[in-house]
Amino acid sequence: MAKPKIMLVDDTKLILELEKSFLKVSHVDVITAGDGVEALELVRKDPPDLVFMDVNMPLMDGITCCRLLKSDPFLAAIPVVMLTTLGNDEDRQRAQRAGCDDFLTKPVDRRLFLDMARKYTDAVDRREVRIPCQIPVLFLLGNTPVSAHALDIGDGGLFLASREEVLQNQELRLALFLETEQAPLLELKGRVAWVNQEGKRVHAGLPTGFGVEFLEPAQWQAEELKRFIEAARAARSEG
């Protein structure tokens, strides 16, 4: 059985790589295009099952491309999710008139992106590979630095064992050292994705603490995380 195809359309390569990373554990094929002209050509050759498309692109913008797709009776049923700038209601109205099926705002949130993708295909997996670890982490709670330990980590986030009170969706700044050859200090922005409260555990196998989703790591940080996780996975498989 063929895997569902998801097309990502954006003129910024870093955004495409980020969106591709969201889908890396999903049973889908990912196709990318850098503008509306390329996207239209690829869709007509091999129609995908879902399209995520940026509004503002050179050669042909996303709204024009969406309008052309939706006016083609052979392609009109393909769901198109438009990526718009936060607070730009005019772009949303134009995209809606072009026939798009849904919206996401940029910068793209991993959780919302995957939730949106699963709305149209259940082949998308929200989970990511996590590696057990014992990494000291400092995070700011208000202006106060607090120490904790990460008990697992992936390139999209980590779990912090901590009894500090935090709220879901609260943003944090974190600092941690990865045990790699360069041993870089990573200073990352994160968002509390879920909380394991005492007496009210979301994950019974984990202690009191909370899951953190990384927000917009720099490219070198994402590469260091990936390098660390791949090395840890290789060491575990050898052991």
Side-chain angles (χ1 to χ4, degrees), residues 121-141:
T121 171
D122 58 9
V124 171
D125 198 333
R126 295 187 183 90
R127 296 170 297 176
E128 63 172 310
V129 176
R130 289 292 182 97
I131 298 298
C133 63
Q134 277 283 348
I135 299 176
V137 177
L138 278 177
F139 67 95
L140 283 179
L141 204 56

Side-chain angles (χ1 to χ4, degrees), residues 5-177:
K5 291 186 287 291
I6 296 180
M7 173 175 278
L8 310 173
V9 189
D10 202 295
D11 62 313
T12 303
K13 288 185 178 180
L14 187 59
I15 298 295
L16 289 178
E17 290 303 314
L18 181 66
E19 293 174 356
K20 281 170 64 177
S21 75
F22 295 161
L23 296 165
K24 67 182 179 181
V25 298
S26 298
H27 191 66
V28 298
D29 286 327
V30 178
I31 310 158
T32 62
D35 57 66
V37 173
E38 184 183 9
L40 202 58
E41 182 180 343
L42 291 173
V43 170
R44 285 170 173 163
K45 285 181 180 177
D46 188 13
D49 299 279
L50 172 62
V51 177
F52 286 91
M53 183 148 43
D54 189 27
V55 168
N56 299 305
M57 295 181 294
L59 300 182
M60 180 189 292
D61 64 27
I63 291 171
T64 303
C65 184
C66 180
R67 185 181 298 112
L68 291 171
L69 287 175
K70 292 301 183 178
S71 63
D72 186 325
F74 296 102
L75 305 174
I78 299 171
V80 176
V81 179
M82 300 297 298
L83 275 62
T84 63
T85 305
L86 182 64
N88 196 327
D89 294 333
E90 183 182 348
D91 277 352
R92 286 200 169 213
Q93 291 168 10
R94 290 169 58 224
Q96 200 163 32
R97 289 195 297 270
C100 82
D101 297 88
D102 256 311
F103 302 95
L104 279 177
T105 56
K106 297 174 77 172
V108 184
D109 179 280
R110 176 183 178 275
R111 176 180 55 87
L112 295 178
F113 180 92
L114 293 176
D115 284 346
M116 182 68 74
R118 278 192 65 83
K119 183 176 176 180
Y120 295 101
T121 171
D122 58 9
V124 171
D125 198 333
R126 295 187 183 90
R127 296 170 297 176
E128 63 172 310
V129 176
R130 289 292 182 97
I131 298 298
C133 63
Q134 277 283 348
I135 299 176
V137 177
L138 278 177
F139 67 95
L140 283 179
L141 204 56
N143 294 318
T144 305
V146 179
S147 60
H149 275 81
L151 300 189
D152 67 35
I153 189 168
D155 54 11
L158 50 76
F159 175 79
L160 281 181
S162 173
R163 294 187 177 275
E164 297 292 337
E165 291 188 9
V166 296
L167 300 174
Q168 189 169 347
N169 294 320
Q170 181 176 343
E171 292 194 5
L172 301 171
R173 298 193 70 87
L174 308 101
L176 63 148
F177 278 105

Side-chain angles (χ1 to χ4, degrees), residues 142-235:
N143 294 318
T144 305
V146 179
S147 60
H149 275 81
L151 300 189
D152 67 35
I153 189 168
D155 54 11
L158 50 76
F159 175 79
L160 281 181
S162 173
R163 294 187 177 275
E164 297 292 337
E165 291 188 9
V166 296
L167 300 174
Q168 189 169 347
N169 294 320
Q170 181 176 343
E171 292 194 5
L172 301 171
R173 298 193 70 87
L174 308 101
L176 63 148
F177 278 105
L178 293 180
E179 295 177 2
T180 60
E181 289 183 5
Q182 297 180 356
L185 171 66
L186 298 188
E187 297 184 50
L188 296 160
K189 291 189 296 182
R191 178 188 66 84
V192 177
W194 53 274
V195 180
N196 236 24
Q197 297 175 337
E198 190 67 47
K200 190 179 178 182
R201 302 284 177 89
V202 176
H203 291 273
L206 291 171
T208 302
F210 49 93
V212 177
E213 180 181 6
F214 298 140
L215 298 177
E216 303 173 44
Q219 186 170 356
W220 73 268
Q221 293 174 323
E223 289 171 355
E224 287 296 335
L225 284 163
K226 183 179 180 181
R227 190 175 295 116
F228 173 79
I229 291 159
E230 288 177 349
R233 289 179 70 188

